[in-house]
Amino acid sequence: MTQMDHHHLFSNVGDILAVSKSFFEDLEKRHQEHVVIQDISDVVEAHASRHFHPYIIYCSNEVYQQRTLQKLLASNIAFKESLKRIEQMPECGSLPLISFLILPMQRVTRLPLLLDTVCQKTPVNTAAYRATTQALKAISKLVKTCNAGAHTMERTEQMCSLQNQLDFGKVKNFPLISTSRWLLKRGEVSLPPTEDGGIFRKGSGRESVTSFEESYAVLTYSMLEHLTVEKIETPDSPTGLSRSGHLFRLTLLKDNEVCFLSFWPALQQVEITRAYLAKQADEISLQQSDVVLILNQEEGWYLGERLRDGEKGWFPQACAQEITNRNAVERNVQRLERLRIETDV
C-alpha cells in the first residue's frame, strides 16, 4: 500500500501503544503494592488528563481508516490476499483486521463504565467517592472529545466530497464546507410529477433519484428553515425517505414558519448481541454488550441512545436483544441518570 494508505489505515497506533503501555504499567505497579487494589481513580485521572490525547487523534481518523480498508480490499488484490493469510495465523485468533483496528476505541470508551462501576461500589460522601467521580469526569471528557473529533472529521469529509460533486453553473455558489453544516441523509427518493413547471421535469409517473452519488447541476437550493417535511399515510405509498418505506412530502416555504414536534414512546432497552459498524451519517456504531435506550423504531431498525456516552443513531434490530428483566432495566435507568450527572463535562 502507499504511505498515505498506511497512515490512514493505522493512524497514530504507535502512540496509542506507548500511552497504553504506560497506563497498564501504572496499574500493574498499583497491584504490586497491594494484591487487593483499593483505588485506581488517581491513575485513570492522571492518564486521562495528561497522557491520553493520542486517543483523540486515533478516534478522529476513524472515517479514513474504515474507508481506506474498504478501498484496499476492493481494489488491491495483493493487499487482500496478504491480509487473508495474516488473518488465518494463530496469533490473530481468526479475527479480521478491523477488529484489531477498533480496539483502541473500544478500550477508551469502556473506561467510563469501569469508573462508574467503581462509583457504585464506593460509599457516597467519602473522599474515595469524590476521587472516583473526579476521575470519571476526566475520562468522560476525553471520550466526548474523541466522539466529537470523529463526527467532525466525518462530516467535513462528506461535505468536501459533496462540494466536488455539485456544479452550481449560473446559480450563486453556496459554500457547503462549514463546521456547522453536515449531510443528514443520502439515498434514493421518489419525485412526484409536477403541475406547475417547477424545477423538476413533469412526467407521467414518479422519477427515482439517488441523491449525491454522481455529479449534479444545482438549479436552486433552500435553507433548512424554509423546508417542511410531511409524512403521507397511504397504503400504496412507494418507497420514500423513511427506513420503513413510508412516503414523505418535502415542501419549500417562502414566508411561512414551521414548528416541528417529536413524541417518543416509553423507553425500551436492548443489549447489543452483535457489533454493528455505522454505514450512514444517521447511524451509530455499537459494540457487543452495549446497552441502548430505544427512542423510536421502524421496520427492522431502532433509533437509540447508547447508555455509556449518550450518542444517538439508527441501527438494525437484528443486532440487539430486548432487556426484559425489570431489575436490570431499573438499574440501567439509574446508571444513565448517574452518568449524566457525573459526566456533565
Side-chain angles (χ1 to χ4, degrees):
M1 69 184 94
T2 66
Q3 190 65 32
M4 183 63 72
D5 287 338
H6 186 278
H7 174 69
H8 284 166
L9 192 58
F10 296 106
S11 190
N12 63 329
V13 72
D15 296 333
I16 294 294
L17 174 62
V19 298
S20 181
K21 183 179 179 181
S22 174
F23 177 53
F24 280 99
E25 284 176 350
D26 285 351
L27 291 177
E28 181 65 24
K29 182 179 178 182
R30 182 62 53 88
H31 182 242
Q32 291 173 354
E33 292 172 355
H34 199 290
V35 65
V36 179
I37 301 176
Q38 299 296 326
D39 186 29
I40 60 168
S41 57
D42 58 329
V43 177
V44 175
E45 182 182 4
H47 282 268
S49 303
R50 298 195 289 269
H51 306 303
F52 277 178
H53 181 75
Y55 280 104
I56 299 175
I57 300 173
Y58 190 89
C59 293
S60 297
N61 290 333
E62 179 186 9
V63 59
Y64 297 109
Q65 187 180 75
Q66 294 177 10
R67 293 181 184 178
T68 299
L69 180 58
Q70 292 172 358
K71 182 194 73 172
L72 290 171
L73 290 174
S75 61
N76 191 326
I77 297 177
F79 174 88
K80 185 176 182 179
E81 292 178 348
S82 298
L83 182 60
K84 185 177 180 180
R85 287 195 300 270
I86 294 173
E87 291 175 344
Q88 291 173 346
M89 292 180 178
E91 294 86 345
C92 294
S94 301
L95 295 173
L97 174 62
I98 188 64
S99 66
F100 293 99
L101 293 177
I102 65 174
L103 277 177
M105 289 173 278
Q106 290 178 330
R107 175 168 293 165
V108 74
T109 55
R110 294 288 183 182
L111 286 175
L113 294 182
L114 171 64
L115 267 295
D116 178 63
T117 301
V118 175
C119 282
Q120 294 181 53
K121 306 295 182 180
T122 305
V124 184
N125 298 325
T126 62
Y129 184 85
R130 288 190 291 273
T132 305
T133 56
Q134 192 66 27
L136 178 57
K137 287 180 182 293
I139 192 62
S140 296
K141 182 177 181 179
L142 178 84
V143 171
K144 286 188 177 182
T145 306
C146 289
N147 289 335
H151 288 178
T152 300
M153 193 71 76
E154 181 176 14
R155 289 171 172 178
T156 301
E157 196 273 340
Q158 286 178 335
M159 287 294 97
C160 290
S161 176
L162 185 55
Q163 181 82 58
N164 293 332
Q165 290 176 288
L166 299 181
D167 178 12
F168 286 85
K170 297 181 180 180
V171 180
K172 181 181 178 181
N173 194 299
F174 186 84
L176 290 179
I177 303 173
S178 168
T179 56
S180 62
R181 187 175 298 113
W182 60 89
L183 182 64
L184 288 178
K185 188 68 178 173
R186 82 164 62 219
E188 187 175 279
V189 297
S190 298
L191 304 178
T194 60
E195 300 294 340
D196 56 358
I199 64 171
F200 298 122
R201 174 182 58 83
K202 180 178 178 181
S204 57
R206 295 185 177 275
E207 181 181 359
S208 180
V209 177
T210 301
S211 303
F212 309 135
E213 296 297 335
E214 299 175 0
S215 178
Y216 294 86
V218 179
L219 302 182
T220 187
Y221 54 83
S222 172
M223 304 305 290
L224 187 61
E225 59 265 26
H226 297 151
L227 295 173
T228 180
V229 179
E230 175 188 0
K231 186 174 181 179
I232 304 174
E233 300 288 356
T234 59
D236 57 344
S237 292
T239 301
L241 296 177
S242 113
R243 294 181 183 274
S244 59
H246 299 296
L247 180 67
F248 287 79
R249 178 184 291 118
L250 185 67
T251 305
L252 173 62
L253 303 177
K254 295 298 183 182
D255 302 311
N256 299 338
E257 290 188 4
V258 180
C259 180
F260 296 91
L261 296 176
S262 299
F263 298 93
W264 302 114
L267 293 185
Q268 171 190 1
Q269 296 180 15
V270 298
E271 181 177 356
I272 302 304
T273 56
R274 187 175 74 250
Y276 178 71
L277 191 63
K279 298 177 178 62
Q280 295 228 31
D282 62 346
E283 296 178 4
I284 186 173
S285 294
L286 296 168
Q287 303 168 15
Q288 189 173 354
S289 78
D290 271 342
V291 175
V292 183
L293 307 179
I294 303 304
L295 306 177
N296 198 3
Q297 57 182 303
E298 296 187 356
E299 275 186 32
W301 290 85
Y302 283 134
L303 173 64
E305 177 180 344
R306 193 165 55 199
L307 177 65
R308 58 181 163 86
D309 57 10
E311 288 293 311
K312 299 181 180 68
W314 289 93
F315 62 96
Q317 293 180 1
C319 297
Q321 181 177 6
E322 184 177 0
I323 300 175
T324 56
N325 184 288
R326 193 170 192 176
N327 292 331
V329 170
E330 291 178 356
R331 284 197 303 269
N332 288 334
V333 170
Q334 293 170 1
R335 187 173 213 183
L336 175 64
E337 293 174 351
R338 182 171 58 255
L339 280 171
R340 281 177 171 168
I341 293 174
E342 301 294 353
T343 63
D344 184 15
V345 293

